[in-house]
Amino acid sequence: MFVALAATVAGCATSPVDYGASLSKQDRKWASPECQQARMEASDYDAREKKQPGWGTGVFLGPYGLGLAAAIKEHQQKQRKLFARAVHLRCSSLPLPKELHSD
């Protein structure tokens, strides 16, 4: 279980807000209403993710704790990737980076 948790944490996806901020503001898509909506949704997701209880609350004690923590972390990483992908598609004219392709 430790290996799964370590592998999940090691592959952390960038925050969709940070990813959006890294895109070129000179791109013709950047000022579009679709891009603004995607950045707002990414920001809302980021805020919700930060409001979730911390990992140190003792919720993950017991025989299934590490597996549960790993599953939650994996789900968060997938959500971050989906939001970053949406931001890229709506805000950038560049091809989709390999790391944002669907699994």
Side-chain angles (χ1 to χ4, degrees):
M1 276 194 239
F2 288 111
V3 175
L5 183 59
T8 302
V9 173
C12 290
T14 303
S15 160
V17 173
D18 293 342
Y19 182 78
S22 73
L23 296 174
S24 173
K25 288 148 187 69
Q26 305 304 318
D27 194 301
R28 60 182 168 77
K29 286 182 156 185
W30 180 259
S32 71
E34 293 83 11
C35 178
Q36 292 173 3
Q37 179 69 29
R39 289 181 303 182
M40 186 173 65
E41 289 169 1
S43 179
D44 290 346
Y45 170 76
D46 204 43
R48 283 192 315 269
E49 188 178 68
K50 288 178 182 175
K51 284 183 182 178
Q52 292 177 349
W55 295 100
T57 61
V59 176
F60 301 113
L61 297 176
Y64 303 109
L66 288 177
L68 181 60
I72 290 170
K73 193 71 174 169
E74 181 180 357
H75 176 73
Q76 288 176 334
Q77 297 307 318
K78 286 181 182 179
Q79 290 299 309
R80 284 179 169 197
K81 182 178 174 181
L82 288 173
F83 276 101
R85 185 177 200 280
V87 169
H88 182 91
L89 292 173
R90 294 193 221 166
C91 299
S92 178
S93 300
L94 297 174
L96 189 64
K98 184 179 178 181
E99 63 270 11
L100 295 181
H101 281 246
S102 297
D103 293 333

